[in-house]
Amino acid sequence: MLNLNHYALKPGVAGLIRILRIMPVIASTVCSFALGVGFALGSMGLELLNLRHVTLIVAAGLTLHSITGHAYNELQDWRSGTDKFSPGILSGGAGVIEDGLLDEKKLRLAALAGILPPVLASLYFISLRGPYVLFFLLTGIWASLAYSLPPLRLSYRPLLGEWAALFPGFLACTAGSFYILTGSLNWQIVTAGTIHGLLTLGWIMQHHLPDISADLKAIPPKLTTPAFVYKKWGAGRVRLVPVAHFILAALAGVMGGVFFKSIFYLTIIPSSFCAYLAVTTDLYCIESITTSEKKMITISTCFAVAIALLMSLGF
């Protein structure tokens, strides 16, 4: 008879797997890379696209985001107490410290180890493409560290967490992967990265909604943009935070359609659906917030994949 306990994962391995947070990583970082690869494929053709380089780029980026970024975020949110108070379903941390899977020392070691693969990959790509690759590496490292680590701890400050850390990181994934694969940059790839970054920030703001009360109880308080709006203007206005990001995504799509490619006009569709989900969310129901967030993630992911595929086919 098969003994399943024999195959049980060790706590450290189980903890590392848990902090990866596959769904949001796919929706944000993997889709950022998908756009870069899709645009590169449309630009140079499959016969010139180096699939080993694609694999290396994606693996290095995922390590930096899902291990380094998440490990530091898990550590700081545990220390401040916000994860302990959170009622969220998708939010509220991975609980690896609380469940005894990883301690603070192991989280720090995992975070540091996660920086090594992207550094090594970047050194290789610098030898091929030149020193500009370093800009994308440093942007990714900045996003992973500055978002959570003191003294900056940008995720604890309104607007700065998303605009000074997350957005540059997502844009760097899209533009950087395109640059490494093609040796060039253009405004079309920047526009695509901007649209995806704005859609992603929209559902991340939705993700923060269940944690507002916990974030305000944290020491120091985690003053995310939704928490700041709640504190300043009340619960009724917090839904406007994700809505604002979806409106910006739609505007970026219109501008991209006017100046670059008509395909960018399609951004109006996912942006409108996501804004509708934000407006109709029951802010006093965790299940409603979570269901809307899942739908937003699905919509933004499908849209990024669709645009990447269309561009790879030459549209």
Side-chain angles (χ1 to χ4, degrees), residues 198-199 240-254 267 271-272 275:
L198 290 169
L199 289 173
L240 298 178
V241 179
V243 169
H245 289 82
F246 296 132
I247 290 174
L248 288 174
L251 291 175
V254 170
T267 309
S271 299
S272 299

Side-chain angles (χ1 to χ4, degrees), residues 25-198:
V25 168
I26 290 175
S28 57
T29 303
V30 172
C31 284
S32 296
F33 285 131
L35 286 167
V37 174
F39 274 63
L41 186 58
S43 173
M44 61 196 305
L46 182 60
E47 65 280 0
L48 296 178
L49 189 70
N50 192 317
L51 296 180
R52 287 177 295 179
H53 288 175
V54 172
T55 302
L56 186 56
I57 291 167
V58 175
L62 291 183
T63 302
L64 190 57
H65 179 184
S66 61
I67 295 182
T68 299
H70 286 176
Y72 278 134
N73 187 252
E74 185 80 13
L75 178 62
Q76 295 305 319
D77 282 356
W78 171 260
R79 285 178 173 178
S80 72
T82 181
D83 282 351
K84 301 174 187 177
F85 302 127
S86 172
I89 298 173
L90 296 179
S91 59
V96 294
I97 296 178
E98 183 179 9
D99 295 341
L101 300 177
L102 292 170
D103 56 25
E104 292 191 9
K105 179 180 179 181
K106 289 178 180 177
L107 273 174
R108 289 195 299 270
L109 289 174
L112 289 172
I115 298 175
L116 184 60
V119 168
L120 293 177
S122 295
L123 291 175
Y124 168 69
F125 287 127
I126 286 172
S127 69
L128 298 177
R129 295 297 187 196
Y132 289 124
V133 174
L134 188 61
F135 170 78
F136 300 109
L137 170 68
L138 294 178
T139 302
I141 292 177
W142 160 264
S144 296
L145 303 186
Y147 186 72
S148 298
L149 285 182
L152 293 175
R153 201 167 6 208
L154 298 182
S155 62
Y156 281 61
R157 306 172 190 272
L159 296 177
L160 293 179
E162 56 266 34
W163 290 107
L166 294 182
F167 182 79
F170 297 141
L171 183 55
C173 289
T174 300
S177 56
F178 181 84
Y179 176 77
I180 290 171
L181 293 172
T182 66
S184 64
L185 276 178
N186 58 54
W187 283 109
Q188 292 180 20
I189 193 64
V190 172
T191 301
T194 297
I195 292 169
H196 175 66
L198 290 169

